[in-house]
Amino acid sequence: MRKAEKDYYNNQFDNRVNDTKAIWGNLNKLFNKNNYKGNTVNKLNCNGNSVDDPKVICERFNQYFLNVANDLSKQKNNLNYNNFKQYLGPSVSNSFFCSDVLLTELREVVHSLKPSKSCVGNSLSSSLLGACFDHIALPLLYICDLSFKLGVFPDKLKLSRVIPIFKKGSKDCVSNYRPISITNPIAKVLEKLMHIRLVKYLNKYNLLYDFQFGFRTNFSTSLAVTDVITMIKDKLFNKKIVMAVFMDLQKAFDTVNFNILIDKLDHYGIRGVQLDWFKSYLMGRKQYTFVNNIESDTGITNCGVPQGTVLGPLLFLIYMYINDICRVTTNSTIKQFADDSNLFIVADNVNQLFSLANRELFLISEWMNHNKLNVNYDKTNFMIFNSDKCNDSGQLH
């Protein structure tokens, strides 16, 4: 029995058998963390008052998720809207073209959806959509093609159900919960089709930043770690000192400004009907929160790339990491994985290192402000790599 148990767990956490996602899934099963559908919150602290009414709790969560990004964005409303354009460089002369959808492609996309019986609004579940695909293939193909040709993302597909998942800290504090969004499977089909075309365009003209390792095919955390370690070892071998600043963005996906994102899409070649499609996709999105088996009223999101969507991560990369943030710094290198930005500064001595670091961080802070993003300073740290013992000290502002 001991051998059988040992073999079982070895198989569960063997990276030769399972990928990282599967291993984390097995860990969550082991600690009974997988089932979030029955999530309950017994009470919340609202403006100093303890609230235990399930409906009030549900509405409080929804209002918080809708407004937290707006509240952060208001802090930067006094900045000139067009200031972000100074970092963009020359406009891309090529234009993005959305090709027709093939029936074989549509079938492959539909059957690639993760089987689920969850429904949002009056939608089909992904399991039912896959099961009846052969009977609705031609009408669905017509809808997808028409959406791309007219530049319209159907309003009925913009609804999301949000489930709050506890992170850490006090369970009666609404800010200690992470929103998990569930969207319409047909919306995911449209997004996957657009995602395929947009990624092909970005890769064809090499528009994505070389050192962005998140949300990209053939890029991974392992590759990111290998790249960073190789770079640091090379600098240390040449008797240099390296500082790594690990920056964390506050509500990164939620605070993406729609107007700035649309301008950047146009700058990078997504124009005309294709740009209209993305405007339609972003604007007028609605969400409601589901907790304690109760649904809140529906609210409209005014900023942020849609959570729980296929296109959301890619749009975030376009917003942050195509070619403008790498123009900000002059004496350092930025390497990113998703919304985690890591700054590496190299110098001959510690005093020079801290001087360069403070100057580079000031430039990045200016870029963040102009793009209406916020750094979470509580989670931002730095580390110094030095091959020799050194008693010099410096101060990082």
Side-chain angles (χ1 to χ4, degrees), residues 254-272:
D254 296 327
T255 51
V256 168
N257 182 276
F258 285 161
N259 293 324
I260 293 177
L261 176 57
I262 290 168
D263 278 355
K264 288 189 176 185
L265 288 170
D266 180 78
H267 181 85
Y268 298 127
I270 295 89
R271 307 181 179 102

Side-chain angles (χ1 to χ4, degrees), residues 44 49 70-71 74 88 122-123 135 225 228 235 334 344:
L44 278 183
N49 299 317
N70 290 331
D71 293 340
K74 287 177 183 177
L88 294 180
N122 295 319
S123 71
H135 303 283
V225 170
V228 168
K235 299 302 180 183
I334 298 177
F344 295 90

Side-chain angles (χ1 to χ4, degrees), residues 24 41 74-75 93 105 107 110 113 121 123 146 156-157 203 244 279 296 302 309 348 357 369 395-396:
W24 275 108
V41 180
K74 287 177 183 177
Q75 300 174 13
S93 59
E105 179 188 23
R107 177 180 285 105
V110 168
L113 295 177
S123 71
L146 192 64
K156 294 291 185 180
L157 304 183
N203 289 337
K279 289 179 183 178
S296 72
N302 296 312
T309 60
D348 294 319
N369 286 333
Q395 185 175 4
L396 186 68

Side-chain angles (χ1 to χ4, degrees), residues 242-248 332 341-347 349-365 375-385 392-397:
V242 181
M243 176 186 288
V245 182
F246 307 103
M247 295 178 289
D248 183 83
S332 60
S341 297
N342 305 314
L343 181 70
F344 295 90
I345 307 103
V346 180
N349 57 68
V350 172
N351 290 331
Q352 182 188 34
L353 185 70
F354 275 84
S355 177
L356 285 174
N358 283 313
R359 186 171 65 186
E360 297 294 275
L361 289 171
F362 173 78
L363 294 174
I364 291 178
S365 177
V375 176
N376 187 340
Y377 293 104
D378 291 335
K379 294 183 179 180
T380 296
N381 297 283
F382 74 95
M383 180 183 295
I384 295 178
F385 300 90
D392 293 340
S393 62
Q395 185 175 4
L396 186 68
H397 302 290

Side-chain angles (χ1 to χ4, degrees), residues 2 37 77 182 215 238 254 273 300 360 363 366 391:
R2 289 194 187 98
K37 293 181 180 179
N77 282 345
I182 301 174
F215 308 130
N238 288 291
D254 296 327
V273 175
I300 297 177
E360 297 294 275
L363 294 174
E366 289 288 293
N391 293 323

Side-chain angles (χ1 to χ4, degrees), residues 3-15:
K3 183 180 184 303
E5 183 180 18
K6 181 179 178 181
D7 290 344
Y8 171 77
Y9 285 113
N10 282 341
N11 184 66
Q12 290 288 298
F13 307 115
D14 187 350
N15 58 15

Side-chain angles (χ1 to χ4, degrees), residues 62-331:
N62 200 49
Q63 289 303 312
Y64 173 76
F65 293 144
L66 285 170
N67 296 321
V68 63
N70 290 331
D71 293 340
L72 288 171
S73 298
K74 287 177 183 177
Q75 300 174 13
K76 304 182 185 298
N77 282 345
N78 59 332
L79 298 171
N80 187 333
Y81 165 73
N82 288 316
N83 279 348
F84 76 92
K85 294 183 179 179
Q86 65 184 289
Y87 303 104
L88 294 180
S91 177
V92 175
S93 59
N94 302 297
S95 293
F96 171 62
F97 173 74
C98 200
S99 59
D100 292 339
V101 181
L102 301 176
L103 184 58
T104 52
E105 179 188 23
L106 180 61
R107 177 180 285 105
E108 184 178 340
V109 166
V110 168
H111 289 299
S112 71
L113 295 177
K114 184 178 179 180
S116 171
K117 295 182 180 180
S118 297
C119 296
V120 180
N122 295 319
S123 71
L124 298 173
S125 67
S126 59
S127 294
L128 183 56
L129 180 62
C132 68
F133 174 77
D134 291 337
H135 303 283
I136 62 171
L138 294 181
L140 185 59
L141 180 66
Y142 174 77
I143 290 171
C144 294
D145 267 330
L146 192 64
S147 173
F148 292 162
K149 288 177 181 177
L150 297 181
V152 175
F153 190 87
D155 288 339
K156 294 291 185 180
L157 304 183
K158 298 180 186 179
L159 181 65
S160 299
R161 181 169 80 242
V162 178
I163 298 174
I165 302 299
F166 176 69
K167 296 186 294 183
K168 61 180 181 179
S170 174
K171 288 190 175 183
D172 63 355
C173 181
V174 69
S175 61
N176 290 334
Y177 289 79
R178 176 186 293 108
I180 301 296
S181 296
I182 301 174
T183 58
N184 191 309
I186 296 179
K188 287 186 181 293
V189 170
L190 263 177
E191 291 182 67
K192 279 178 173 282
L193 292 169
M194 179 60 78
H195 187 278
I196 292 169
R197 286 152 177 75
L198 186 54
V199 167
K200 185 177 180 180
Y201 167 78
L202 295 173
N203 289 337
K204 180 179 180 180
Y205 297 106
N206 197 29
L207 295 180
L208 289 174
Y209 183 49
D210 289 339
F211 298 113
Q212 167 54 250
F213 294 92
F215 308 130
R216 299 175 66 184
T217 304
N218 299 324
F219 286 77
S220 64
T221 51
S222 300
L223 184 60
V225 170
T226 301
D227 179 73
V228 168
I229 291 176
T230 301
M231 183 270 294
I232 292 174
K233 284 186 174 181
D234 179 67
K235 299 302 180 183
L236 295 181
F237 180 79
N238 288 291
K239 306 301 182 184
K240 302 290 184 179
I241 304 175
V242 181
M243 176 186 288
V245 182
F246 307 103
M247 295 178 289
D248 183 83
L249 298 185
Q250 189 174 10
K251 302 292 182 183
F253 281 63
D254 296 327
T255 51
V256 168
N257 182 276
F258 285 161
N259 293 324
I260 293 177
L261 176 57
I262 290 168
D263 278 355
K264 288 189 176 185
L265 288 170
D266 180 78
H267 181 85
Y268 298 127
I270 295 89
R271 307 181 179 102
V273 175
Q274 277 69 47
L275 186 62
D276 291 339
W277 190 91
F278 280 100
K279 289 179 183 178
S280 177
Y281 171 76
L282 291 167
M283 303 296 185
R285 299 191 69 90
K286 299 178 181 180
Q287 71 175 50
Y288 65 91
T289 298
F290 180 79
V291 63
N292 298 331
N293 291 319
I294 294 175
E295 294 180 0
S296 72
D297 293 335
T298 301
I300 297 177
T301 57
N302 296 312
C303 64
V305 292
Q307 296 275 2
T309 60
V310 177
L311 279 172
L314 182 59
L315 292 176
F316 180 76
L317 295 191
I318 292 173
Y319 191 86
M320 280 205 66
Y321 302 128
I322 283 196
N323 63 20
D324 54 332
I325 194 170
C326 61
R327 295 174 180 271
V328 177
T329 56
T330 56
N331 291 285

